[in-house]
Amino acid sequence: AINSGDFTIELWVRFTVDEISHPLHNKPSGSGNMGWGLQRYASSNLQGQIILWRRDSSGWQYINYSQGTRTTISEDTWYHVAIVRNHGNGNISMYVNGSLAGTNTNATAGTVISNSSNLLLATHNGSAGFLQVDVDEIAVWNQHLGSSEITDLYNSGVPLDAKSNSGNYTHGNNSSLVAYYKMEEGTGTTLTDLSGNGNNGTISGAA
C-alpha cells in the first residue's frame, strides 16, 4: 500500500508559471502527522528547485534537485519525476529525468511514512488552491523499482506506456502496477485508472 509498504510513483510534470506549485501531495492533517509531497518553489524561494519532502513526528526531511549546474527549474519544460519508497530499509528516493536526485535515509525502516489522506494532484488541500502546473502519465506501483527501471521509464524524454514492458522495465503486465492515469479524458470529472484495478480519481478545477 502507498501508506504502509514499498511504492513507486512516476509522473511527468511541467511548471507553467514561476510560483510555488504542488504537483503531488499526501497532506499531513495536523502537527506531527505523517505525509509527503512533491513541490516546486518559486525562483525567489530556494531558487526554483524541485523538492521532495516528507514529514513525521520527528520533523521535516527534504530532497532537493538542481538542474545540472543551474538551480532554477525551467518553466514550460516537461520533467520526468519518480518517487521510490523502500519500506524495508527506510529509504525514499527521487529521480528526475531518469537519474537519481537524492535519497532520504532518515525514515525508520519498516515504518509507515504516509497518512490515509487521498493523494492529491496540482493542489495542496483538495478543495481550493489549484495551481498552474501540468501533470501527465501518472503511474503507481506497490513495489520499489530499481534505478535501471526508472531510467527505462524515462525513455530519453519520450513517455513510456507503463503497461508495456521495455528493456529493464518488466512490470507493465503484472499486479505490481496498481494505478495508471494517462490524463487523456478531456471532459468529465473522472480520472480513469487504466491499470485494471479501478482506482479512478476525481477531477476538479482542471483546465
Side-chain angles (χ1 to χ4, degrees):
I2 199 169
N3 69 329
S4 62
D6 290 348
F7 67 79
T8 301
I9 300 176
E10 74 152 357
L11 71 160
W12 288 82
V13 58
R14 178 174 62 182
F15 304 95
T16 55
V17 296
D18 187 12
E19 67 175 7
I20 297 178
S21 300
H22 300 257
L24 198 63
H25 200 90
N26 176 245
K27 184 182 179 183
S29 56
S31 177
N33 286 349
M34 295 170 291
W36 59 271
L38 179 70
Q39 73 183 76
R40 187 255 190 184
Y41 281 92
S43 59
S44 59
N45 189 338
L46 294 183
Q47 295 79 48
Q49 293 184 78
I50 292 177
I51 307 295
L52 172 62
W53 59 263
R54 62 172 297 272
R55 179 187 178 186
D56 58 23
S57 58
S58 64
W60 299 84
Q61 296 86 40
Y62 302 91
I63 298 173
N64 297 356
Y65 172 72
S66 297
Q67 187 180 21
T69 58
R70 299 165 54 193
T71 56
T72 300
I73 299 303
S74 302
E75 281 82 48
D76 296 318
T77 299
W78 284 100
Y79 293 88
H80 178 261
V81 180
I83 300 168
V84 180
R85 162 65 171 172
N86 186 325
H87 184 65
N89 63 18
N91 289 352
I92 184 168
S93 303
M94 178 171 68
Y95 293 79
V96 179
N97 290 347
S99 298
L100 180 66
T103 297
N104 184 306
T105 57
N106 293 331
T108 303
T111 59
V112 175
I113 68 164
S114 300
N115 59 64
S116 58
S117 299
N118 292 330
L119 189 62
L120 306 177
L121 300 174
T123 181
H124 66 278
N125 61 17
S127 60
F130 298 108
L131 304 166
Q132 297 186 64
V133 57
D134 297 328
V135 292
D136 200 7
E137 293 285 336
I138 304 166
V140 182
W141 296 263
N142 63 5
Q143 67 181 68
H144 63 275
L145 301 187
S147 58
S148 61
E149 296 173 291
I150 299 298
T151 298
D152 284 348
L153 283 166
Y154 169 57
N155 196 30
S156 299
V158 180
L160 179 70
D161 191 309
K163 295 181 66 177
S164 300
N165 294 335
S166 179
N168 293 297
Y169 173 68
T170 59
H171 300 279
N173 55 5
N174 65 37
S175 60
S176 64
L177 180 65
V178 296
Y180 181 38
Y181 311 102
K182 291 184 72 70
M183 314 294 283
E184 295 178 341
E185 282 71 14
T187 60
T189 59
T190 299
L191 181 63
T192 303
D193 172 22
L194 299 178
S195 72
N197 292 302
N199 292 312
N200 295 337
T202 300
I203 300 171
S204 178

